[in-house]
Amino acid sequence: MPTPRPVPLPGTYLRSPIGLGRATVSLLGLVIAADLFAVYADLVLYDVTDDLMDGATGGAVTGRLDDAETLNSVAGGVQSVALLLCVIVYLCWFWRVRANAGVFAPQAQSMKPGWAIGGWFVPIVSLWYPRRITRDIWDASSPVGARRSYALVNAWWTLWLLSLLGDRLGTVDYGKADAADQMHSGAYQSMIADGLDIAAGVLAILLVLRLTRMQNEKALAGPGAPVGV
């Protein structure tokens, strides 16, 4: 006898995540490009502050420092705009795949749908709720009988948290910097944080592509296909 298909909540139905998935991937690519620009700006500041620490003086090095700080300000603005656009579209995609997961396997969702958005913004719980929800979505979207590995989810989330920590430390240090050595250290920490963000962005792209494809394939399998829990 076939296993009965779980009944989704009233008013829920499948909607294609492909369009939002493509838009999310494009904007994640924009964030990565902005981060690469920021790494270049960090390198410029790192280089000029290194010269200052070695004893360089004069109008030429002062002008380079001013240009480096301006470049860093521009890079920070570009990063903020790219991140804001990406966050908006990413959350729309995340809400969509969470809603679909509630249709595929409603009993496998350990948190209410609203946490798909709120979980990113509530202090403390934002450190693990999005990962937990992503794992629930992954379970619901996985093919039946497939070996489930959370390696991609875990790697993406770990790098995301590390990039947030690195960015916070770099921002604090740079904000307090009033000497060449402090600015030098702040630029180095910013480079590390931006590098981690680039790596997290690459894994986020892979995650979005994978979940989008999994949900599309499960939807195309039709209502008679078994649902993994």
Side-chain angles (χ1 to χ4, degrees), residues 22-212:
R22 288 172 177 169
T24 302
V25 167
S26 297
L27 287 170
L28 283 167
L30 180 63
V31 170
I32 291 173
D35 286 336
L36 288 170
F37 176 41
V39 169
Y40 167 71
D42 293 332
L43 282 169
V44 172
L45 182 61
Y46 186 83
D47 183 63
V48 69
T49 52
D50 188 54
D51 289 343
L52 287 169
M53 291 169 61
D54 287 340
T57 59
V61 72
T62 301
R64 286 172 56 207
L65 179 61
D66 290 340
D67 291 343
E69 290 185 305
T70 299
L71 186 63
N72 267 263
S73 296
V74 172
V78 171
Q79 282 181 299
S80 296
V81 172
L83 182 61
L84 177 61
L85 293 174
C86 185
V87 164
I88 293 171
V89 177
Y90 180 91
L91 289 178
C92 290
W93 169 83
F94 197 62
W95 178 269
R96 175 71 55 83
V97 293
R98 168 59 182 86
N100 287 344
V103 177
F104 288 139
Q107 78 286 3
Q109 307 309 302
S110 61
M111 297 183 183
K112 298 292 185 182
W115 283 114
I117 303 298
W120 293 90
F121 300 102
V122 177
I124 307 301
V125 302
S126 61
L127 296 176
W128 75 86
Y129 269 32
R131 173 184 170 276
R132 175 71 246 186
I133 296 168
T134 302
R135 284 187 53 169
D136 290 345
I137 296 170
W138 190 278
D139 286 342
S141 307
S142 296
V144 171
R147 178 179 177 274
R148 293 176 189 166
S149 170
Y150 303 115
L152 178 58
V153 176
N154 292 336
W156 156 70
W157 190 246
T158 300
L159 285 173
W160 168 247
L161 292 180
L162 289 175
S163 70
L164 290 179
L165 177 61
D167 183 66
R168 178 64 59 88
L169 293 175
T171 300
V172 170
D173 282 355
Y174 186 77
K176 296 187 300 184
D178 56 6
D181 59 337
Q182 293 173 325
M183 296 175 69
H184 190 72
S185 176
Y188 178 77
Q189 291 190 26
S190 293
M191 277 191 285
I192 297 299
D194 290 332
L196 288 170
D197 198 52
I198 290 169
V202 171
L203 291 184
I205 287 175
L206 296 177
L207 182 69
V208 170
L209 290 173
R210 183 74 178 275
L211 272 178
T212 299

